[in-house]
Structures are given as structure tokens and as C-alpha cells.
Amino acid sequence: MTGPKTDIRSMSRTAVRSDPAPQVSPELAELLRTGPFEVALRAAIRSSRLSLERIQHRLQSRGTPVSITALSYWQSGRRRPERPDSLLALQQLENVLGVPDCALSALLGPPRPRGRTRQAAHDAPPLSELWSENESAVELLTRIDTSHDSKLTRLSQHDVVHIDAYGDQRMVRASKLVRAEANGADRWVVMFDGASTSPVSPTIRPLRSCRIGQVLTDHARDVIVAELLFDRPLERGETMLLEYEISDMPTGANEPEHTFCRLFRLPVRQYVVELEFDPSCPPEHVESFVGDSAANETAQPKPLSLDRHARTHAVTLDFGMGVFGVRWQPSRRALLDGH
């Protein structure tokens, strides 16, 4: 997630003018003049001889963190910096790459339209690209059929997360309502990244309108990719309500964060996530958060209040692409009692 931002507009303009103008090759200078943005950025990165990892480190040290995935997307043209924090990072990136101030920023043009229509299925990156920072996930996804994913419109999704007295996830029950946009859609691919090193993998169990197909697991990294096969292929315009459950999830020392989140590759009209805590040990604090597909938070977290049964929920409409999640601080008493 992103850290604190530094507003570089507070830098001394006199100091900026006193620096010598960066020297660039004629080829790069021409691209910085004509664009397009992604081609000029790729050329500037090549000219700098810096890896994306080094660029990320230097941006982080300047207070404008950007993920490697985001940098990769910028130079491929799949996405471009548009949010205020991304534009600030781009200004620092120009300095890191040794190109003149505003040389890359001037190539951006007007912002792209936002809202549900901005992410058409044919424009969405493949699932493997969304998980590009997780080599294990990418490798597993190349061994499974994900072609049906773009044929399904996400009408709604409802997750119910059961959490024990220690703040650990015990089970997730998921319901999805999808609509086929082409004939033949017959499966949903589930990706689970537990972010732990537990030797025991969670169990995925189909509950409604589906059955388990191929299941691929990297036990060392707690990554699972599974097919949920529909009872029959859908026809265009047909809807399907499917349900499944994930249980036996890693707990304790294997679970570094008390967080549950969904990465949406395509927009969902309505997403609801419900949290059910142990009433005897309610959490100290609960909040929802929103991030881009690289998990960089894009808005202030929103606190969530519990009802008398230690339950709460968060909802978002017309959301995606990006990450929507919730996190909580377990009861101090439960943590002091030992895990």
C-alpha cells in the first residue's frame, strides 16, 4: 500500500532552474517531443539503464511510491498516470530518468473517461498480468483456461467472512451473480493468495450451480487457482448464481495481516463484503479501503461500525478495475491471551 506523499510543488523553483538541463539522445529527444507517452517512457527507461526495481526504490525514497506493476503498465500503454499522486510521482520519475521537467507529463493528454464504461472486457489485462508481481500465481494461471472470464459480466458479488476470537479468518462464503455475454461460458476461475507459508492449503468447496474442476496449488507460497465448472454452458444473456466456500484458512503466525480483499479485473455492479466476528472478542477497529490493481491505496480508509452481534459490512457500486477490501485490529485481550 502507498505510504505518505510529498508534495513536490513546494520545492524551490529557483533551485530547479539552477540545475543544468538534462542531456538526452536525439532519438529520445524526438520521442519526448512527439510521443506517444508509453513509447517515450520506454525509451527514457532504456536510456537510464535503470531496472524497474531501482526506479521504484528511487521514487519511494522521494516520497512518491509507485509499484513495479504500475510502472510496467505505464510503459506498456495499458494504463497511464492520472490521479494526483500518480502525476506527482511522474514529475519525480522525469528527474529519476534524467529527462527535462514535464517532458513526459506533456504527452499524457486529457484524462480518460471514468465510470463503469471505462473498462471494457477486451481492454482488460489478462489475469496473469494482474498478478505479475506473484511469479507463482502467474505460473499457475498459464496452466488453466481463463478465456471464459471476459465472457461474464459481474452483476453482483457477496462475500461473508467469518473471523474467530483471535482475529483470524476461518471461512469465506462467496455468492456471485454473472451474465454471459457470449455463448459457451462454462466456468469461473478462483484465485486465492493467502500470503502465508502454511503447508496446509485452504479448501474450496462448491455450494451452488458449480463443481470443482482443475485445482492447482503452490503450497510453499499458499497460492491456489481453481476452476468452478458450471452445471452447463451458458447462452448469451443468461444469468448464473453460483456459490462456493473457502475454509481451513491459515491462521496465527502464518497470517501477517488481518485483511480480506478482492481484486476485480472487470467492473462489478454491486459488491458487498460482510464480516462476522466472535461476539465475545470484537475487534478494536475495522475499516474498508480501496486500491488500484497494483494494491496502491487510492482513497482514505473508511471506518466501519459493528452491530450488537459483532457484525459489519461494506458496499461499493460500479467498482473496478481495482482492489476493494477490509481490515481489522483484533481484540487486545485475545492477543494477550496467546494464540
Side-chain angles (χ1 to χ4, degrees), residues 208-230:
R208 176 173 177 167
S209 302
C210 59
R211 66 188 187 279
I212 285 287
Q214 188 176 189
V215 179
L216 304 175
T217 305
D218 183 339
H219 294 281
R221 300 187 181 181
D222 195 24
V223 176
I224 300 175
V225 178
E227 292 176 318
L228 294 178
L229 304 177
F230 301 163

Side-chain angles (χ1 to χ4, degrees), residues 131 136 194 216 240:
W131 294 82
S136 176
L216 304 175
M240 170 72 73

Side-chain angles (χ1 to χ4, degrees), residues 17-295:
R17 289 196 190 100
S18 65
D19 292 337
Q23 298 297 313
V24 299
S25 68
E27 178 187 5
L28 178 55
E30 178 66 12
L31 287 173
L32 292 173
R33 186 181 68 83
T34 63
F37 170 79
E38 61 272 15
V39 176
L41 176 58
R42 287 199 300 271
I45 291 174
R46 284 197 305 270
S47 177
S48 74
R49 301 183 182 275
L50 295 172
S51 66
L52 293 184
E53 289 79 6
R54 292 300 304 163
I55 293 172
Q56 181 197 37
H57 176 74
R58 295 189 183 188
L59 290 175
Q60 176 77 35
S61 67
R62 293 164 181 257
T64 53
V66 177
S67 71
I68 293 176
T69 300
L71 290 170
S72 178
Y73 285 172
W74 290 359
Q75 69 169 344
S76 71
R78 288 192 178 276
R79 250 169 284 165
R80 62 185 181 184
E82 293 181 342
R83 299 190 314 273
D85 57 342
S86 296
L87 294 175
L88 287 173
L90 180 59
Q91 293 180 42
Q92 292 287 5
L93 179 59
E94 290 167 340
N95 186 270
V96 168
L97 298 179
V99 300
D101 291 344
C102 300
L104 291 169
S105 305
L107 299 174
L108 286 176
R112 294 171 179 170
R114 297 193 176 273
R116 193 174 63 198
T117 59
R118 75 182 186 279
Q119 185 63 54
H122 62 271
D123 292 330
L127 281 170
S128 58
E129 189 167 316
L130 287 185
W131 294 82
S132 60
E133 293 183 338
N134 188 324
E135 293 181 4
S136 176
V138 171
E139 195 276 330
L140 295 181
L141 284 169
T142 61
R143 294 159 50 193
I144 206 163
D145 182 6
T146 61
S147 62
H148 295 263
D149 190 67
S150 296
K151 301 177 182 177
L152 297 168
T153 293
R154 286 76 164 150
L155 298 179
S156 69
Q157 168 138 1
H158 188 173
D159 290 327
V160 181
V161 186
H162 297 267
I163 302 160
D164 66 17
Y166 300 106
D168 294 323
Q169 299 175 42
R170 306 306 303 178
M171 183 184 72
V172 177
R173 182 165 183 157
S175 301
K176 300 176 184 287
L177 178 63
V178 297
R179 184 182 67 218
E181 302 303 332
N183 294 335
D186 66 356
R187 71 196 64 193
W188 182 272
V189 175
V190 176
M191 166 67 76
F192 180 85
D193 179 7
S196 80
T197 56
S198 172
V200 180
S201 297
T203 300
I204 299 178
R205 185 164 67 96
L207 300 177
R208 176 173 177 167
S209 302
C210 59
R211 66 188 187 279
I212 285 287
Q214 188 176 189
V215 179
L216 304 175
T217 305
D218 183 339
H219 294 281
R221 300 187 181 181
D222 195 24
V223 176
I224 300 175
V225 178
E227 292 176 318
L228 294 178
L229 304 177
F230 301 163
D231 291 341
R232 57 178 176 79
L234 302 181
E235 296 182 2
R236 183 178 180 181
E238 189 175 3
T239 58
M240 170 72 73
L241 180 61
L242 62 146
E243 296 181 2
Y244 63 93
E245 182 179 275
I246 303 176
S247 57
D248 303 323
M249 304 167 79
T251 60
N254 292 320
E255 186 67 19
E257 295 183 352
H258 299 281
T259 300
F260 177 85
C261 60
R262 284 281 185 185
L263 171 57
F264 291 94
R265 170 177 171 266
L266 291 169
V268 60
R269 292 191 181 179
Q270 180 192 70
Y271 175 57
V272 179
V273 54
E274 245 186 294
L275 301 176
E276 296 191 356
F277 295 93
D278 186 324
S280 66
C281 288
E284 302 288 335
H285 178 72
V286 190
E287 63 185 17
S288 66
F289 62 91
V290 175
D292 60 22
S293 60

